Amino acid sequence: MKKLLLLLVILMFGCNGGTDNSIKTPNSKLLTESTITSIPLSGKLADRNAEISGLAWYNNLLVLLPQFPARFGNSKYGAIPVIREEAIYNYLYNNTADVVEHELYTLIAPGLEGYMDAASGFEACDFVNDNIYVTIEKADGNTTQSFIVKGIIDSSLKVITLNSNTLTKIDAPEHLYNFSCESLFQLNEKLYAIYEANGVNVNKSPLVYCFDPDLNKQDNLSFPNIEYRITDAVADRIGQSFWAINYNYPGDSDMLNPGNDNIAADYGIGFSHSETNIVERIIKFDLNDSAATFTNNNPVYIELDLNNGGKNWEGITLFRSSGFLLVTDKFPETIIAFVQYELN
């Protein structure tokens, strides 16, 4: 009887709790993982409820897009935090401060009130010259729609103004609740948005949605089936390529119904990733006139903290030529992190 009870205990605690396909791939090689350097923040930006959803550079300002800007500042529409590049560099390389301070740019967004409530929110941003572009998620019943809007940034007044007259619907899937176009990047003054769920079982023909600087729709590009979530993207420093965050939270398995993880099978996995269904990696894509395709670069796997679960990386941008900056939303807390990687 004791042996039977012991066997039951082993079965209960030895089984993987996730129901989705694990990243474990017996024939995959193990890849070196990248560690993160967390950048300590101050004030409301350090609060887990800051819920940052995107990163982008405007000149030497790192713009941190909150899903709900009203949580910052005292104006009607809230504010958007920014951090100066020099402050990040000094923290990483000169050890000049215990925390990195931020400033607030007042947001003005008349006509967009219905897109800034609890069922909606800002998801990603990027810039073309002084123009800012923001993707917005809008939940309506059982559907979730994706939009993009244009605005302007005025660094002298520290104001960002969005023009509701430019609000444009993105023709992305709407059948998955709380999934939308969470990735946006610009390359050669063209805007590219990517839907969050592109797995073979939920999105048979994924696309990259393209716009000119006036938000006129351009021909969309094909995008490969890739399991789990694409939560943000950034153009590479040179050439026609971009990097994207690929994240898996095992709790999404019922909704996403992941298929085979071909990236792990083809390129390999990180050591800590071989022990869990959680996925935190950065993937590089090439871009041409008709398609985004995988490059031959190995994925950049982020070393996992297996004791505390995954980090929901929601934003990515480059930091000079030395690596990536990533940001989480509120899971497990607000984290801005540097990942060293030699960029071209």
Side-chain angles (χ1 to χ4, degrees), residues 156-171:
S156 62
L157 296 177
K158 296 186 178 181
V159 171
I160 292 174
T161 304
L162 299 180
N163 182 355
S164 62
N165 292 327
T166 68
L167 187 70
T168 302
K169 185 178 179 182
I170 303 174
D171 299 322

Side-chain angles (χ1 to χ4, degrees), residues 71-299:
R71 294 178 181 177
F72 292 86
N74 300 313
S75 68
K76 178 179 179 180
Y77 303 101
I80 294 177
V82 304
I83 298 175
R84 295 192 178 275
E85 179 184 16
E86 183 181 15
I88 297 173
Y89 181 88
N90 284 338
Y91 177 81
L92 291 175
Y93 297 105
N94 295 332
N95 299 315
T96 57
D98 294 329
V99 297
V100 172
E101 301 291 344
H102 65 277
E103 307 170 48
L104 292 179
Y105 273 43
T106 299
L107 177 65
I108 300 174
L112 294 177
E113 293 86 352
Y115 298 86
M116 302 169 65
D117 56 23
S120 304
F122 293 174
E123 295 295 347
C125 67
D126 211 340
F127 294 85
V128 177
N129 301 319
D130 293 329
N131 295 315
I132 183 173
Y133 299 84
V134 177
T135 62
I136 301 175
E137 179 178 286
K138 176 65 174 175
D140 185 11
N142 293 324
T143 65
T144 302
Q145 298 177 330
S146 301
F147 296 87
I148 186 170
V149 67
K150 179 181 179 180
I152 191 165
I153 182 169
D154 187 328
S155 55
S156 62
L157 296 177
K158 296 186 178 181
V159 171
I160 292 174
T161 304
L162 299 180
N163 182 355
S164 62
N165 292 327
T166 68
L167 187 70
T168 302
K169 185 178 179 182
I170 303 174
D171 299 322
E174 301 177 9
H175 64 286
L176 294 178
Y177 183 77
N178 202 31
F179 282 75
S180 65
C181 287
E182 293 206 0
S183 301
L184 181 69
F185 67 95
Q186 75 93 4
L187 188 59
N188 297 328
E189 298 193 355
K190 184 178 287 188
L191 284 304
Y192 298 92
I194 303 173
Y195 186 64
E196 189 175 0
N198 300 285
V200 67
N201 292 322
V202 293
N203 194 350
K204 297 297 183 182
S205 301
L207 296 171
V208 180
Y209 304 93
C210 305
F211 300 87
D212 71 12
D214 293 321
L215 295 187
N216 297 307
K217 295 180 181 179
Q218 307 294 292
D219 291 338
N220 296 326
L221 311 179
S222 65
F223 189 71
N225 283 118
I226 178 171
E227 299 307 322
Y228 319 128
R229 296 166 54 206
I230 297 291
T231 58
D232 200 12
V234 61
D236 202 9
R237 296 176 65 247
I238 59 174
Q240 292 285 117
S241 58
F242 65 95
W243 299 88
I245 305 171
N246 187 205
Y247 172 69
N248 182 44
Y249 166 59
D252 286 336
S253 60
D254 288 343
M255 184 174 293
L256 293 181
N257 186 21
N260 292 329
D261 187 346
N262 294 324
I263 293 175
D266 292 344
Y267 295 95
I269 57 176
F271 179 78
S272 65
H273 283 74
S274 67
E275 302 297 320
T276 178
N277 288 339
I278 298 168
V279 179
E280 298 176 19
R281 62 190 175 194
I282 305 168
I283 302 170
K284 189 176 184 181
F285 297 85
D286 286 328
L287 199 66
N288 59 39
D289 291 338
S290 62
T293 58
F294 295 121
T295 66
N296 290 324
N297 295 65
N298 285 335

Side-chain angles (χ1 to χ4, degrees), residues 321-337:
S321 61
S322 55
F324 306 97
L325 291 173
L326 304 177
V327 68
T328 63
D329 69 356
K330 62 182 181 180
F331 296 105
E333 58 185 339
T334 301
I335 302 171
I336 295 182

